[in-house]
Amino acid sequence: MEVIVYNSKGEDTGKKVTLPEEVFGIEPNQHAIYLDVKQYLANQRQGTHKAKERAENAHSTRKLKKQKGTGGARAGSAKSPVFVGGGTIFGPRPRDYSFKLNKKVKALARQSAYAVKAKANNISVIDNITLEAPRTKDYIQFLNDLNVAGRKTLLILPDVNTNVILSSRNVQKAKVTTASQVNTYDLMNADQLLISEEALSTIQTLFDK
C-alpha cells in the first residue's frame, strides 16, 4: 500500500512510501486487539475501592431488642447489613486488576491495529517535523496544515523529540509517542495516525525482531 508523504506544512512532497505489508497489510485479529486494550485499561485501575463489612463497622454490638414478643423479626447488633449504616455484604475489596498477556499476542494486536487504520485510510506519513522551541501554537498550526485539527491524532516519531512533545501537551485530542512506545489502545483510540517517515523503518524493524 502506497501513501503520499507530506511535509510539516501539509504539502505534498512528491514522494510516496510503501507501508510494510507484514505490518499494515495483515488481516486484523480483532480478539487480539480486544485483549490488549482490555489489559491496558485494567492496568490503569488503582483497585483501591473498599467498603466496610460487618466486622469493620463501628456500631455497638448491643442487642437492639429482645428476641421474642415484639411481633417483628429478631435483630442482633446495628452492624447487621439489613440496617441503614450497617456493614456491606460482599462489598468491594482492594485488588489488582492486571493480568498477563503473551508478547506474541500483544505484537499481533499492534500489527492488527496498524492494519485497521491502513484499511480505513487513516494514516498520514510526514516527511519530518522539527520545532525550534516548545510552542503550542506551532503544533496547532501543524495540525491545521494537515487538516486534522479537531480530530484525535497520534503522532508517531522515531525518537523522543522534547520540543514536539511539550508543544502538543496542551492540545486536546492530540498525543505524541515514539515507535517503540506506542500501544494498541493509543492506536485504536486515534482517528488519524501521523507517522514520521523515519518511524516507519523503526516500526518494521521492531516487528522483524
Side-chain angles (χ1 to χ4, degrees):
M1 178 181 178
E2 282 191 339
V3 293
I4 298 171
V5 179
Y6 297 93
N7 61 22
S8 58
K9 294 183 178 180
E11 300 167 339
D12 188 345
T13 61
K15 296 191 299 182
K16 287 187 177 181
V17 294
T18 302
L19 298 178
E21 192 70 20
E22 59 272 22
V23 179
F24 296 87
I26 69 167
E27 184 62 32
N29 187 313
Q30 298 294 340
H31 188 62
I33 293 175
Y34 160 75
L35 289 175
D36 202 13
V37 171
K38 180 181 177 182
Q39 187 199 41
Y40 175 85
L41 294 176
N43 290 343
Q44 308 308 303
R45 301 185 67 173
Q46 289 184 317
T48 54
H49 40 42
K50 179 71 175 73
K52 287 186 178 181
E53 299 182 358
R54 182 168 184 153
E56 301 166 313
N57 203 291
H59 285 303
S60 168
T61 56
R62 178 183 66 87
K63 187 168 177 62
L64 298 178
K65 60 183 181 181
K66 62 181 184 178
Q67 182 82 346
K68 291 179 170 294
T70 63
R74 54 196 173 183
S77 73
K79 292 184 176 185
S80 172
V82 301
F83 294 120
V84 174
T88 302
I89 305 174
F90 302 130
R93 296 179 176 180
R95 56 165 291 192
D96 180 11
Y97 282 92
S98 63
F99 61 92
K100 182 182 180 297
L101 203 59
N102 291 337
K103 289 182 179 179
K104 288 185 178 180
V105 175
K106 292 177 72 68
L108 175 60
R110 285 195 301 276
Q111 283 177 286
S112 299
Y114 280 123
V116 167
K117 295 302 178 182
K119 286 189 174 184
N121 292 319
N122 289 333
I123 294 178
S124 298
V125 177
I126 313 301
D127 183 20
N128 193 16
I129 174 173
T130 55
L131 298 178
E132 296 180 358
R135 290 187 65 193
T136 303
K137 183 178 179 180
D138 291 344
Y139 194 79
I140 293 175
Q141 185 61 48
F142 164 72
L143 296 178
N144 285 330
D145 291 340
L146 290 170
N147 295 319
V148 293
R151 303 182 67 194
K152 286 183 179 179
T153 59
L154 178 65
L155 175 61
I156 303 176
L157 302 173
D159 300 300
V160 174
N161 187 318
T162 305
N163 287 344
V164 175
I165 293 174
L166 293 178
S167 298
S168 67
R169 196 162 54 177
N170 287 333
V171 181
Q172 288 187 345
K173 300 181 180 180
K175 186 168 184 177
V176 177
T177 187
T178 62
S180 60
Q181 294 177 333
V182 68
N183 59 68
T184 305
Y185 175 82
D186 287 337
L187 291 172
M188 296 303 297
N189 190 46
D191 296 326
Q192 186 75 19
L193 299 184
L194 309 175
I195 305 178
S196 167
E197 187 176 3
E198 293 181 13
L200 277 177
S201 58
T202 305
I203 292 170
Q204 186 173 10
T205 301
L206 288 171
F207 284 108
D208 285 344
K209 292 179 181 180

